[in-house]
Amino acid sequence: MSIKSAAAVSLAKFFGYLSCKIRKSKGQTLPGFIAKKIDGNILSDLSQQVRGDVFAVMGTNGKTTTNALLYGLLTKEGKKVVINRTGSNMLNGVISAFVLAAGNDGKLDADFACIEADEFASGSILPKMKVNYLIITNITRDQLDRMGEVDIVYDKVLEAVKNFDGTLVINGDDVLTYSLALESGKKFVTYGIDEQVFDEASRSEIRESTFCKRCGSRLKYNFFHYGQLGDYYCEECGIKRPEMDYAAKDIKITEDEIAFTVNGKRIEIRAKANYNIYNSLSVYALLDDAGIMNDEMIKGFAEFDFRNNRENVYHIGESDIQIHLVKNPIGFQQKVALIKKDESEKDVVILINDEYQDGQDVSWLWDVNFEELRNENIKSITATGKRCLDMCLRLKYEEIECAYDFDVENVVRGHIEKKNRNVYLIVNYTGLYSSNDMLERLKKEYEEGEK
Amino acid sequence: MKLNLVHLYPDLLNLYGDRGNIMCIKKRLEWRGIECEVKEVLHGEYVNTDEADLIFLGGGSDREQEIVCEELKKNKKALIDYVENDGAMLAICGGYQLLGNYYQTKDKKIEGLGILDIYTQWEEERLVRNIIVNSDLFETPVVGYENHSGRTYIGSYKPLGKVFFGLGNTGRGDFEGVVYKNIIGTYIHGPLLPKNPQVCDYMLLKALRKKYGEDVELEKLDDEIELMANKCIVDRYSEEKNRVAEAIKRRI
């Protein structure tokens, strides 16, 4: 620990504290920015101080949940763990996490670190950080205006793992991720789901990689899970879904719980959406391969709350309002499946903004199949946000009635006043924090009103 | 009446919600009681232009575009004849580039169909943003989203329109797209047609009149939500402060 990096840490922490007080912001990136300016090696320096392994999570969907689960299991064991929360997954956010966890003397007291990294920022994060394990959840179509075509994302991630010398933990059901692992020449373990558990509503017609990344010929599939995930093979070059090191079998799905067996161990999770099998499986694979997993820890899966900040439920008046984040077609499709699975009556609000973080290009809404929202259990659908008219128009093409109102608070208040019990609020990125804040505020207002 | 829509290589070219364009063509015909049959030509299949009243060619990644180019070469003559005989065709982004003689990418030259004597040159900076174009073909502006590395030089051909906001064909913010006979080529995604029903109806009318005679007219539809979604973007960039804000955002 040099004097320079100690100074970088303490100054960065101070400004972070100030910025928090002034802007009341939740995301933390400023300390990282300052620390990096003072000491260019700060990330390498701090991550080296972690006593045990540093884990990183990348991929289009499932990063935040996977990382939170990993963190949850480790901290339950009494470990000290560094994590970058609240989606601060670009370089400055990652450095901030380490800086804020360190003492003013620049010394870091941590057993492990769990770091979520944006695919686009991976090239600037990975080479500078000690990483022992890297989970790649999947590579699918994301914000095309920011990320570019899926091939560009693939190349970015491949480039980023070039100098990586740890172990990759990869989703073997995703041909792109698997191709990437093979092409990288790195050590890797695979995980996947052996049974067909995803229903029709989770699938969309739009898929990446119907053509083999290696040889360009058309891939064949025995079955699809969703997106391009499934049991694939290429007749030309012979690439095929591998025999998984960690395969989920004997899957049992009930309304609030999912249980599955992996290598003889039964894992239970309290989650509604089936894709959480992947999130849990990758965490199990990583911890098992790293020699950290034990029987006590397995129980931790059942105690983890999958409804983290991104899937929160607010009880206001007589309404339950659950907020869900969607960022890309595959993610949205999973939420459509989730809404369909809920058989009780409900109202749906969809908030679509087009800020930079959301993706300015809203064309991805046309890659989602909304047909399944034509359902008698859905009492109403209202589009809101800056691009609510685009959402309305999209649903017009499914012949689904959709109202619009640019003001989300107005819409939510309406549902609360009408005592609508079950409200789904689907938001994209910039709508998440503002909606959470709004719901907190409305909740307080109603609680005070009742007194 | 019946319209046969040929959708070229949806398995390769399916970026940026392009399938919304197909849905739009189909629905706007159905809403008027006109039958529409969509024929998807997949990788490896032969294009039968005799059966086509309207051809749609979408956009894909550079990798996929190269595969398409190899495929299209086999059908080059038929497609040129189709266009020269006033066949209707809509080509977007990658599809637009393929209409020309070639697309010079960073490291290779992809040969195009040569239907139009135009060409495309790759440049490092990607042109990515909302785009609004005023075209003398329509009263309503054409709005959408552009996302391309290629600069397309259309020479003396007629452009689709003048750029009101955005960058367009060559990135200079002057003109966007190309119109020749009954073809429109453009970089505009969004997808293009749902928010620009005027463009959809223009293509439909061209296709139907070629097939059923010049006196074909299209019934007016209720486009309230379409036009509001369109206007929402036009209004946003008609305000100077929003144009400036966008420019600043792009610099940082």
Side-chain angles (χ1 to χ4, degrees):
Chain A
M1 169 59 49
S2 64
I3 294 173
K4 190 161 128 190
S5 51
V9 169
S10 60
L11 262 174
K13 280 173 79 97
F14 174 69
F15 279 106
Y17 170 79
L18 272 188
S19 136
C20 248
K21 282 280 163 207
I22 298 165
R23 293 166 45 219
K24 295 203 172 115
S25 63
K26 286 184 184 162
Q28 281 283 25
T29 54
L30 184 69
F33 176 78
I34 292 168
K36 188 181 70 189
K37 282 275 173 229
I38 301 171
D39 179 0
N41 281 325
I42 192 75
L43 182 54
S44 158
D45 197 333
L46 288 173
S47 60
Q48 291 291 346
Q49 291 187 50
V50 177
R51 286 183 290 275
D53 288 343
V54 175
F55 307 124
V57 184
M58 272 163 60
T60 312
N61 285 310
K63 283 189 289 276
T64 304
T65 306
T66 302
N67 203 42
L69 175 61
L70 192 54
Y71 173 83
L73 293 180
L74 291 168
T75 45
K76 214 182 141 267
E77 295 265 292
K79 305 292 184 201
K80 286 188 173 160
V81 188
V82 178
I83 184 171
N84 58 333
R85 279 180 179 282
T86 59
S88 307
N89 60 11
M90 311 294 271
L91 180 61
N92 288 338
V94 173
I95 299 175
S96 294
F98 281 102
V99 164
L100 295 173
N104 276 330
D105 56 357
K107 293 225 166 63
L108 184 69
D109 172 24
D111 299 305
F112 296 102
C114 300
I115 300 300
E116 167 190 334
D118 178 87
E119 296 78 74
F120 234 51
S122 60
S124 65
I125 297 170
L126 282 193
K128 295 194 182 104
M129 186 169 78
K130 161 184 156 182
V131 184
N132 303 86
Y133 278 87
L134 170 61
I135 294 177
I136 305 179
T137 59
N138 49 60
I139 302 172
T140 63
R141 181 172 297 207
D142 204 351
Q143 300 158 1
L144 290 164
D145 55 328
R146 194 167 75 86
M147 296 286 195
E149 293 142 12
V150 79
D151 288 344
I152 298 174
V153 179
Y154 179 99
D155 292 341
K156 286 262 176 201
V157 176
L158 186 64
E159 180 66 29
V161 300
K162 226 174 198 172
N163 298 313
F164 170 69
D165 60 1
T167 304
L168 296 171
V169 180
I170 61 125
N171 185 340
D173 286 339
D174 175 16
V175 62
L176 271 182
T177 308
Y178 183 54
S179 303
L180 187 140
L182 291 174
E183 197 178 340
S184 74
K186 304 293 171 188
K187 190 166 68 175
F188 65 88
V189 294
T190 53
Y191 62 90
I193 300 176
D194 274 8
E195 298 163 11
Q196 254 190 297
V197 291
F198 294 90
D199 60 1
E200 203 51 50
S202 350
R203 294 188 201 118
S204 53
E205 282 161 36
I206 291 294
R207 304 194 170 99
E208 302 306 335
S209 339
T210 36
F211 291 83
C212 180
K213 185 82 188 163
R214 280 213 301 209
C215 70
S217 36
R218 183 190 291 277
L219 285 169
K220 297 245 163 89
Y221 277 82
N222 289 317
F223 65 78
F224 283 103
H225 286 308
Y226 60 84
Q228 83 260 20
L229 308 187
D231 186 4
Y232 53 85
Y233 61 96
C234 174
E235 282 177 337
E236 197 65 32
C237 74
I239 192 172
K240 61 172 194 191
R241 178 182 186 266
E243 187 74 34
M244 303 295 169
D245 299 309
Y246 296 90
K249 296 182 198 301
D250 303 322
I251 299 166
K252 194 169 160 253
I253 296 165
T254 54
E255 205 192 323
D256 292 315
E257 269 181 20
I258 301 172
F260 60 91
T261 301
V262 50
N263 297 344
K265 302 283 183 193
R266 193 71 177 161
I267 292 178
E268 284 170 18
I269 54 175
R270 285 187 303 127
K272 286 185 177 178
N274 293 354
Y275 56 76
N276 282 312
I277 301 173
Y278 278 125
N279 297 333
S280 316
L281 197 55
S282 64
V283 168
Y284 180 85
L286 183 156
L287 291 174
D288 188 66
D289 194 75
I292 300 168
M293 187 45 76
N294 58 52
D295 286 350
E296 195 52 40
M297 228 174 172
I298 288 178
K299 290 183 198 151
F301 281 97
E303 287 160 33
F304 180 76
D305 187 2
F306 278 85
R307 297 174 317 188
N308 57 27
N309 193 33
R310 290 185 173 185
E311 288 179 29
N312 232 333
V313 184
Y314 291 84
H315 309 274
I316 306 176
E318 286 171 42
S319 303
D320 277 349
I321 300 167
Q322 44 178 308
I323 185 163
H324 294 267
L325 175 72
V326 294
K327 298 181 293 183
N328 47 49
I330 303 272
F332 209 149
Q333 200 65 56
Q334 297 308 308
K335 299 300 177 190
V336 169
L338 190 72
I339 291 172
K340 197 198 164 202
K341 205 173 153 188
D342 177 355
E343 284 170 4
S344 51
E345 278 201 332
K346 57 201 153 297
D347 295 274
V348 178
V349 182
I350 304 172
L351 188 164
I352 301 297
N353 280 341
D354 66 345
E355 298 292 340
Y356 175 75
Q357 299 96 312
D358 301 309
Q360 279 197 315
D361 181 6
V362 292
S363 67
W364 61 280
L365 296 173
W366 293 82
D367 286 337
V368 184
N369 277 353
F370 286 106
E371 236 178 287
E372 302 287 352
L373 292 184
R374 210 185 301 128
N375 182 313
E376 67 263 31
N377 293 328
I378 298 177
K379 290 194 294 175
S380 75
I381 301 179
T382 313
T384 180
K386 293 191 171 132
R387 284 303 193 83
C388 59
L389 294 168
D390 283 82
M391 188 63 226
C392 253
L393 181 56
R394 173 68 189 89
L395 290 181
K396 178 179 175 181
Y397 274 84
E398 300 295 344
E399 277 152 41
I400 295 173
E401 218 170 292
C402 175
Y404 70 89
D405 184 339
F406 284 87
D407 183 359
V408 61
E409 182 164 340
N410 209 25
V411 179
V412 172
R413 273 184 189 278
H415 284 308
I416 298 170
E417 276 157 27
K418 277 188 232 142
K419 305 189 191 324
N420 290 329
R421 288 188 173 275
N422 188 14
V423 181
Y424 281 79
L425 175 56
I426 312 283
V427 300
N428 66 346
Y429 204 84
T430 58
L432 182 66
Y433 294 118
S434 58
S435 298
N436 270 324
D437 289 348
M438 173 198 65
L439 289 168
E440 288 288 355
R441 188 160 45 74
L442 291 184
K443 194 177 169 170
K444 245 185 229 155
E445 190 184 301
Y446 267 79
E447 280 167 0
E448 275 161 19
E450 277 167 13
K451 274 175 203 161
Chain B
M1 286 192 287
K2 182 185 171 183
L3 185 140
N4 290 317
L5 170 65
V6 171
H7 186 186
L8 294 179
Y9 314 114
D11 49 345
L12 284 159
L13 307 175
N14 62 12
L15 276 181
Y16 310 105
D18 264 347
R19 72 188 194 125
N21 291 318
I22 302 299
M23 291 163 85
C24 186
I25 292 168
K26 212 166 169 265
K27 284 280 182 192
R28 292 188 72 80
L29 287 166
E30 282 172 7
W31 286 333
R32 292 172 165 121
I34 303 170
E35 204 187 325
C36 176
E37 191 178 329
V38 183
K39 286 181 188 157
E40 295 193 336
V41 177
L42 302 179
H43 177 249
E45 290 176 1
Y46 170 73
V47 185
N48 185 359
T49 51
D50 293 342
E51 287 179 2
D53 301 317
L54 176 59
I55 295 179
F56 181 82
L57 185 58
S61 69
D62 285 353
R63 171 171 70 110
E64 290 162 327
Q65 212 165 306
E66 238 185 288
I67 306 176
V68 166
C69 168
E70 286 307 308
E71 287 288 309
L72 278 177
K73 266 189 209 163
K74 302 173 202 159
N75 300 291
K76 195 168 170 173
K77 190 174 177 308
L79 285 165
I80 292 175
D81 289 347
Y82 171 83
V83 169
E84 288 304 324
N85 288 318
D86 298 322
M89 184 166 172
L90 178 62
I92 293 179
C93 201
Y96 171 32
Q97 294 167 347
L98 283 170
L99 295 179
N101 291 323
Y102 64 85
Y103 175 21
Q104 177 67 54
T105 69
K106 191 179 180 181
D107 36 39
K108 56 188 100 165
K109 194 170 181 173
I110 301 178
E111 193 191 324
L113 283 165
I115 293 175
L116 303 180
D117 187 15
I118 65 177
Y119 68 96
T120 302
Q121 178 74 42
W122 181 90
E123 278 183 39
E124 177 79 41
E125 192 200 350
R126 238 183 134 77
L127 308 173
V128 187
R129 63 194 61 189
N130 283 302
I131 180 166
I132 302 168
V133 170
N134 288 315
S135 171
D136 58 17
L137 299 178
F138 322 108
E139 275 173 35
T140 314
V142 182
V143 306
Y145 204 83
E146 60 179 324
N147 190 345
H148 51 113
S149 292
R151 271 65 169 169
T152 299
Y153 296 91
I154 62 167
S156 56
Y157 285 92
K158 178 182 160 66
L160 173 63
K162 210 171 158 351
V163 175
F164 171 70
F165 181 82
L167 298 162
N169 281 341
T170 59
R172 286 197 290 259
D174 45 10
F175 297 100
E176 161 54 30
V178 71
V179 182
Y180 171 74
K181 291 198 167 215
N182 291 337
I183 309 187
I184 288 180
T186 176
Y187 276 115
I188 306 179
H189 293 289
L192 172 72
L193 299 181
K195 265 202 303 285
N196 299 293
Q198 73 280 21
V199 181
C200 186
D201 286 357
Y202 172 89
M203 293 307 305
L204 295 181
L205 210 51
K206 291 283 182 199
L208 290 170
R209 283 185 176 164
K210 162 116 196 322
K211 191 172 185 182
Y212 295 104
E214 285 303 310
D215 53 349
V216 171
E217 290 297 337
L218 286 176
E219 191 189 318
K220 215 172 146 35
L221 296 174
D222 172 12
D223 289 333
E224 193 192 349
I225 194 81
E226 283 84 349
L227 295 176
M228 274 179 6
N230 179 305
K231 189 170 176 293
C232 181
I233 295 303
V234 175
D235 286 351
R236 181 193 288 183
Y237 295 106
S238 297
E239 277 191 52
E240 191 57 30
K241 67 166 201 264
N242 290 335
R243 298 169 74 103
V244 172
E246 181 92 13
I248 293 169
K249 246 189 277 171
R250 300 261 159 210
R251 297 258 168 254
I252 51 174

